[in-house]
Amino acid sequence: MVRILLVEDERIIARDIRLSLENLGYTVAAIASSGEEAIAKAAELQPDLILMDIRLETEMDGIQAAAHIWRDFQIPFIYATGYSDRSTLERAKVTNPFGYILKPIEERELYVAVETALQRFQLSIELQRREEWLTAILRGMGDGVIVVNADAQVTFLNSVAEQLLSTSQEAVYNHPISDVFQIVHEETLAPVENPVMAALNQGEIKALPDHTLLIAGNGRMIPIADSAAPLRDEHYTITGAVLVFRDITEKRQAEERSAALALNQQLQNQMAEMQRLNQLKDDFLSTVSHELRTPLANIKMAVRMLEVILNQPTQHPSHQKERTDRYLQILQDQCDRELNLVNDLLDFQKLSGDTYNIQLTTVPLAEWIHQLTEGFQARLHNRQLTLHTQLAPDLPAIAVDIVALDRMVTELLNNACKYSPPGEQIVITIAPVESQIQLDICNTGVEIAPDEFDRIFEPFYRIPQSDRWRQGGTGLGLSLVKKLATVLGGSIQVESTPNQTCFTLRLPLQPQETSPS
């Protein structure tokens, strides 16, 4: 529910606006009648939006109050006014409002103004995150990077560029690129066309010819290779350019120019992927940090208890041994949990980076599935679950990576055990289908909503409130299963009915050349 702070010093108007907002489905968190009160209410209530009357009959008007609130709390605001004179609008524009609405306020116009302001604010937050992520990427690059705006004025230098130019970002900010980045031909010392200007004017990636020298701020001349690429917005309008350059004093070869061009292309790809990577980072930190800390906390607790047990004399050695064994088992279990998490992360990285090494072997499926399920009997018994296997007659052997196959089926069985209620059953069916082997793992008593089918294979995603046994997890298991199936040239699908969930794994009988998606 969107909460709005209404700032209006006319009671009747404030009442009418409040009714309109509530009719539109918004919540009016409070009404303030002065700029000072608006600041106090904003600090206390932290609303989603402020509808601010420009003309307040108090010492502080709406424009001053809005500027103060945005500076201190970053809360978006819309100006409401019965005046549209040029001087008022010029003062209001300086504060960068998220919208205007003229009095008398119509409900339809109010709705459009509020929704537009909220959308603009969300877009500004996303843009800020993208800019922060891009800045981090640029600062961490090993080459010099200069970013300019559409007027060819410097807006960013990374640390490498500052070193090569013998200057600082503060010293050259908003200076013309031609004053900051001066280059000449190595043999003639004649000025060379600045690639940034060419990129801005022609809209293409531009590289310098060989034998180019950079004149640093201290007068030193440095042989460099570099190139510039235009930056464009979503409308394909050029908004600036990025220049990447490097010192090639020790090695001046044609490959350096190609590397610079490739680096520019990589930079543009990174910019395009920035929002996706930011979301992946947030998911990783929120999920994995908890899963890493929990076993360590349990290990720390067990170590402390062992210290207490071993340092205290006892008249009951058997009781002491029983307690010691219990805490040693906790240490073993939590170390295994931590190791499994690290292995999951390493395998996920290998599969994502196309570095997983497939080792094929011939596997007799009937014998293999019998051995694999033996390891689940104790857990099945403890959780009152029944396991059935249904194998096709004359089941053929399959050429497959046995480690990957074990990993996929173990993960699917772990999930079946994890989410099935007591008294239910798990059924494994294996049969040849055309040139593939189809392996179905179904468990009863549980259902997955259709809108979750695609998401359960996303990295770090876990179905909310479905962990019956509270075992936790990173949400990497099914993502690893899908990647491994793809590596082996197969596929994984899920279907669910009101009382049953089935995962279907298909693998080719003969190996084929594939790569992770």
Side-chain angles (χ1 to χ4, degrees):
M1 182 68 70
V2 176
R3 299 167 61 250
I4 298 176
L5 172 61
L6 175 58
V7 185
E8 171 60 61
D9 57 0
E10 294 288 343
R11 291 186 178 181
I12 296 177
I13 296 176
R15 183 195 62 191
D16 291 343
I17 296 175
R18 178 173 192 162
L19 289 174
S20 295
L21 288 170
E22 291 175 346
N23 287 339
L24 292 169
Y26 304 118
T27 297
V28 177
I31 298 176
S33 58
S34 68
E36 294 80 2
E37 185 183 4
I39 294 172
K41 292 290 186 183
E44 174 189 357
L45 301 174
Q46 292 293 311
D48 301 304
L49 183 69
I50 297 175
L51 184 57
M52 176 73 72
D53 184 13
I54 290 182
R55 296 291 183 93
L56 297 175
E57 300 298 330
T58 58
E59 183 175 346
M60 177 183 290
D61 67 6
I63 296 175
Q64 294 171 306
H68 189 108
I69 291 170
W70 177 252
R71 182 193 66 209
D72 291 352
F73 311 117
Q74 295 290 291
I75 300 173
F77 56 92
I78 301 172
Y79 282 135
T81 180
Y83 304 90
S84 58
D85 59 278
R86 181 178 295 275
S87 61
T88 300
L89 290 178
E90 289 299 323
R91 285 186 59 224
K93 282 168 57 179
V94 175
T95 60
N96 295 317
F98 287 79
Y100 296 89
I101 188 167
L102 293 176
K103 298 177 181 178
I105 296 175
E106 297 292 336
E107 217 171 78
R108 180 177 179 181
E109 295 176 354
L110 181 60
Y111 175 77
V112 172
V114 169
E115 291 300 316
T116 301
L118 292 172
Q119 184 180 30
R120 285 188 59 196
F121 180 61
Q122 185 61 38
L123 290 174
S124 70
I125 292 176
E126 294 176 1
L127 179 59
Q128 181 179 359
R129 289 175 179 170
R130 291 175 58 190
E131 290 176 347
E132 291 172 353
W133 183 257
L134 175 60
T135 299
I137 293 174
L138 296 178
R139 289 193 184 280
M141 290 179 62
D143 292 346
V145 177
I146 304 176
V147 179
V148 302
N149 58 23
D151 296 323
Q153 295 172 325
V154 175
T155 59
F156 174 83
L157 267 70
N158 72 348
S159 59
V160 177
E162 290 177 332
Q163 294 172 8
L164 293 175
L165 293 169
S166 299
T167 187
S168 66
Q169 177 169 305
E170 292 75 15
V172 299
Y173 186 78
N174 271 348
H175 284 214
I177 186 64
S178 58
D179 293 345
V180 176
F181 188 79
Q182 298 180 351
I183 48 180
V184 296
H185 192 274
E186 184 176 10
E187 296 178 358
T188 65
L189 297 184
V192 176
E193 182 186 14
N194 195 309
V196 172
M197 301 307 300
L200 288 173
N201 295 332
Q202 301 174 26
E204 299 176 352
I205 297 176
K206 290 295 179 180
L208 281 179
D210 295 334
H211 311 295
T212 297
L213 295 177
L214 168 67
I215 303 177
N218 57 7
R220 185 166 63 102
M221 293 188 176
I222 306 170
I224 60 169
D226 68 357
S227 63
L231 298 176
R232 302 178 185 273
D233 60 17
E234 63 274 14
H235 303 297
Y236 211 64
T237 300
I238 295 177
T239 58
V242 57
L243 172 69
V244 180
F245 62 102
R246 63 178 65 186
D247 184 347
I248 56 169
T249 302
E250 297 181 359
K251 188 177 181 180
R252 242 180 298 180
Q253 297 179 349
E255 293 87 351
E256 291 294 312
R257 183 179 65 180
S258 299
L261 289 170
L263 186 57
N264 269 290
Q265 187 60 53
Q266 179 185 358
L267 177 61
Q268 294 185 60
N269 292 339
Q270 288 172 332
M271 294 171 64
E273 290 291 312
M274 187 166 46
Q275 190 169 2
R276 185 186 68 83
L277 291 176
N278 190 58
Q279 183 61 49
L280 187 62
K281 175 205 68 176
D282 291 343
D283 293 342
F284 174 84
L285 291 177
S286 63
T287 302
V288 177
S289 60
H290 171 75
E291 294 299 323
L292 284 171
R293 286 196 299 264
T294 300
L296 292 176
N298 293 335
I299 290 172
K300 188 175 181 180
M301 178 274 295
V303 170
R304 288 180 178 174
M305 294 305 298
L306 285 172
E307 289 176 347
V308 172
I309 294 171
L310 297 176
N311 290 330
Q312 288 182 347
T314 179
Q315 298 178 350
H316 303 284
S318 62
H319 180 61
Q320 185 184 46
K321 183 178 184 305
E322 179 183 343
R323 295 176 63 197
T324 302
D325 289 344
R326 182 167 72 250
Y327 288 114
L328 286 174
Q329 187 61 49
I330 290 175
L331 287 174
Q332 181 64 51
D333 293 342
Q334 297 305 312
C335 285
D336 289 344
R337 179 177 175 184
E338 197 81 2
L339 183 60
N340 289 336
L341 173 59
V342 172
N343 287 335
D344 281 350
L345 292 173
L346 291 175
D347 288 344
F348 184 78
Q349 187 270 338
K350 289 179 182 178
L351 289 165
S352 298
D354 196 9
T355 59
Y356 186 86
N357 187 22
I358 299 176
Q359 299 291 334
L360 295 177
T361 186
T362 301
V363 178
L365 291 173
E367 179 181 343
W368 163 78
I369 195 63
H370 175 73
Q371 294 176 351
L372 184 70
T373 55
E374 277 296 313
F376 284 84
Q377 294 304 321
R379 190 190 310 178
L380 293 166
H381 176 75
N382 292 336
R383 297 185 177 180
Q384 304 175 33
L385 299 173
T386 305
L387 176 65
H388 301 283
T389 56
Q390 300 176 357
L391 308 181
D394 301 324
L395 195 63
I398 183 174
V400 71
D401 186 321
I402 184 62
V403 175
L405 181 62
D406 281 350
R407 184 69 177 276
M408 291 186 292
V409 177
T410 297
E411 178 64 31
L412 295 174
L413 284 174
N414 278 333
N415 276 352
C417 293
K418 183 177 180 179
Y419 297 118
S420 296
E424 299 296 338
Q425 63 178 351
I426 302 171
V427 179
I428 302 175
T429 305
I430 307 179
V433 178
E434 297 179 350
S435 60
Q436 293 182 317
I437 285 292
Q438 178 170 311
L439 190 150
D440 297 303
I441 297 180
C442 302
N443 56 311
T444 59
V446 65
E447 178 185 0
I448 300 176
D451 57 0
E452 301 282 353
F453 285 180
D454 292 331
R455 297 213 63 192
I456 61 175
F457 294 107
E458 293 179 4
F460 311 117
Y461 181 75
R462 293 179 293 179
I463 300 175
Q465 301 177 348
S466 62
D467 190 350
R468 183 178 307 278
W469 302 98
R470 301 188 183 278
Q471 294 182 185
T474 62
L476 278 177
L478 289 177
S479 180
L480 286 171
V481 170
K482 184 173 183 178
K483 286 181 176 292
L484 285 169
T486 303
V487 166
L488 298 176
S491 63
I492 180 75
Q493 294 179 332
V494 61
E495 293 183 354
S496 190
T497 61
N499 194 47
Q500 178 174 274
T501 295
C502 288
F503 283 87
T504 299
L505 176 64
R506 294 187 180 91
L507 297 172
L509 283 169
Q510 297 298 324
Q512 52 185 331
E513 294 294 329
T514 58
S515 61
S517 60

